[in-house]
């Protein structure tokens, strides 16, 4: 009656675990990057939906008063020609980004260097993606879209792939 594994059986199990690990590890290497991309896409989609919701209300309502997600009247920050918000938040230096259109505003980086948003000019935003890569997006109030511009370490085309 045997009470232990033989050396050959142990080596076989170790080799098998090594082969499985060598197949599995590459599948997980891009997990963090994919999660960041999904987070950016989700936020941009939420902002786009909110802007389109505001625009839709403007189309059907002659005397439209825009009450932002923060509960304040932002009719003065509204483009009455196009029906899109002229601004998405309080402007450059704001600590709560997209506060006019999102129920839960996005906090600015406040010292963080990755995975966060910053407004560097009115209606111009940066997303600190990964080390050395910064996506830059401009809000276009004439058509209500966030548009990629050349960022740091990221081209306009790469930015478009990440956010859409």
């Amino acid at each position: 009656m045997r009470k232990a594994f033989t050396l050959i059986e142990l080596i076989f199990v170790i080799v098998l675990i090594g082969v499985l690990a060598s197949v599995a590890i590459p599948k997980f290497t891009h997990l963090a990057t994919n999660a960041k991309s999904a987070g950016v896409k989700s936020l941009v989609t939420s902002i786009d939906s909110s802007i389109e919701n505001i625009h839709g209300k403007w189309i059907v309502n002659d005397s439209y008063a825009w009450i932002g997600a923060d509960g304040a009247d932002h009719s003065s920050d509204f483009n009455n020609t196009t029906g899109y918000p002229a601004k998405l938040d309080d402007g450059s230096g704001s600590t709560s980004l997209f506060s006019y259109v999102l129920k839960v505003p996005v906090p600015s980086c406040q010292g963080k260097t990755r995975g966060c948003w910053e407004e560097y000019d009115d209606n111009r935003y940066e997303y600190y993606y990964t080390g050395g890569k910064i996506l830059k997006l401009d809000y276009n109030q004439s058509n209500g879209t966030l548009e990629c511009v050349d960022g740091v370490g990221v081209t306009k085309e790469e930015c478009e792939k990440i956010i859409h």
Side-chain angles (χ1 to χ4, degrees), residues 44-140:
V44 170
T45 301
S46 294
I47 294 166
D48 287 344
S49 295
S50 297
I51 292 168
E52 286 305 317
N53 185 21
I54 292 165
H55 184 250
K57 288 178 182 177
W58 176 80
I59 289 171
V60 299
N61 190 343
D62 289 334
S63 58
Y64 181 64
W66 175 32
I67 306 301
D70 60 357
D73 185 354
H74 295 289
S75 297
S76 62
D77 296 321
F78 192 74
N79 187 334
N80 265 327
T81 307
T82 63
Y84 290 105
K87 294 169 60 175
L88 301 180
D89 52 39
D90 288 323
S92 184
S94 176
T95 57
S96 296
L97 306 178
F98 314 113
S99 59
Y100 290 1
V101 294
L102 295 180
K103 295 273 187 214
V104 179
V106 176
S108 63
C109 290
Q110 300 170 354
K112 290 173 55 179
T113 58
R114 291 185 350 186
C116 61
W117 289 85
E118 197 70 65
E119 185 172 18
Y120 66 95
D121 199 4
D122 287 345
N123 288 327
R124 303 182 91 187
Y125 301 91
E126 293 177 327
Y127 178 73
Y128 294 86
Y129 191 59
T130 57
K133 290 188 176 186
I134 301 174
L135 307 179
K136 291 193 175 201
L137 295 98
D138 290 353
Y139 173 63
N140 184 340

Side-chain angles (χ1 to χ4, degrees), residues 7-30:
L7 184 60
I8 292 176
E9 290 171 329
L10 289 173
I11 290 173
F12 178 75
V13 169
I14 291 170
V15 168
L16 186 61
I17 290 172
V19 168
L20 290 174
S22 69
V23 170
I25 288 174
K27 300 281 184 193
F28 295 111
T29 56
H30 298 291

Side-chain angles (χ1 to χ4, degrees), residues 25-46:
I25 288 174
K27 300 281 184 193
F28 295 111
T29 56
H30 298 291
L31 205 55
T33 304
N34 292 344
K36 286 179 186 168
S37 294
V40 173
K41 286 177 188 179
S42 174
L43 179 63
V44 170
T45 301
S46 294

